[in-house]
Amino acid sequence: MAQLSDLPIRDDLRGLSPYGAPQKAVRIALNVNENSHPIPEAVARDIVESLAAAILTVNRYPDREFTELRQSLADYLNLALPAEKALDIANIWAANGSNEVLQQILQAFGGPGRSVLAFPPTYSMHHILASGTGTAWIAGERDADYELSPETVVRWIEQTNPDIVFLCSPNNPTGTAVSLETIIAAYDATDGIVVVDEAYAEFAPDDVESAVTLLDGRERLLVSRTMSKAFAFAGARVGYLAADAAVNDALRLVRLPYHLSALTQAAAVAALRHTPEMLAMVDDIRAQRDRLMVELPKLGYPVLPSAANFVLAGGFADPNATFEALLERDILVRDNGIPNHLRITAGTKAETTALLDALASL
Ligand SMILES: *Cc1c(COP(=O)(O)O)cnc(C)c1O
């Protein structure tokens, strides 16, 4: 077999590493922020019935505009919005995971000669998607405790004049939320696109408002969401976007035709019919997240306030050694390369107990 470096690959891809969260068969996987709770059996049955119906017409291409799915997603987002801010199907886009949505945004608004400003530590895929689309990556700096004040964001935008700003709220891997003031300040400071990645929005405390509430009158503001986390649908690959209808027209220029399979569309629409059951575990997960925030510091591992379904814990003299020691106990957590820190997903109550017991025994 040849080496990758033997191939005539793009110069700007040479030496890069692919996304690499370890996928290991363990008893307790708390490393990629999935919802640990399987979906309820009755919901699973209904999804399978929808898939069975959809497979009968799979000889035809799927609805290229995934109309029913977009309506279902609009209805879902509108549950949390006042009537005057209600979103319309024209405001909704979807793809195979929010990663694909973000890639399409970079294809349409970034690319060679353009730049994206982001604030590490943040979701590693943002950088990888920038590389893949040839978009220059500008790494801004955060305030103390990974906070992001309006002044800091505006200063970075004024100094670097990016085409796109990525804000992740709640941020992965820190768990910290970005205030609406900061998002508004970023929007007002740029003529470019502002993307808020809200993959963990459903886990946020009740007083943390979604950037979806800011969309009205802000045609360059894009809010991405996913069914992978709160909705317990990571394996189905469904992410979506709320934005001005004109943004969807831009994304239509770069998406592959029929990018959402008929089976994906059928499964997602069926799951959204069961929103209350699908989200029933969110409160339990938030409770386990809050428990981690209380218990980890008692074990000597201070945590940042988290609005997501995971915590970033510090105080690990050798994070890799702790990672390996937990793995020996069949528990997988995440080493994001932040010195002295590990990221831990809030799992079921039993999983969280096992994690805390294991850490206490080290
Ligand atoms: C997990 C995660 C996603 C989800 O990606 P999907 O492609 O929708 O599964 C998106 N953004 C962030 C910040 C994440 O942590």
Side-chain angles (χ1 to χ4, degrees), residues 19 32-34 95-102 122-126 168-173 197-200 224-229 233-235 237-240 309-310 343:
Y19 178 79
V32 286
N33 302 338
E34 294 151 335
N96 297 283
S98 52
N99 279 299
E100 188 181 27
V101 174
L102 296 172
T122 193
Y123 183 40
S124 61
M125 277 308 298
H126 291 169
C168 190
S169 181
N171 184 51
N172 178 6
D197 182 340
E198 287 196 348
Y200 300 98
S224 72
R225 293 281 195 98
T226 182
M227 291 180 72
S228 293
K229 307 288 161 61
F233 226 46
R237 310 304 302 127
V238 184
Y240 54 103
N309 67 337
F310 57 85
R343 193 192 68 192

Side-chain angles (χ1 to χ4, degrees), residues 75-94:
D75 293 344
Y76 170 62
L77 288 177
N78 286 340
L79 292 173
L81 286 173
E84 72 274 12
K85 295 199 172 179
L87 299 168
D88 180 270
I89 180 171
N91 299 118
I92 305 295
W93 185 255

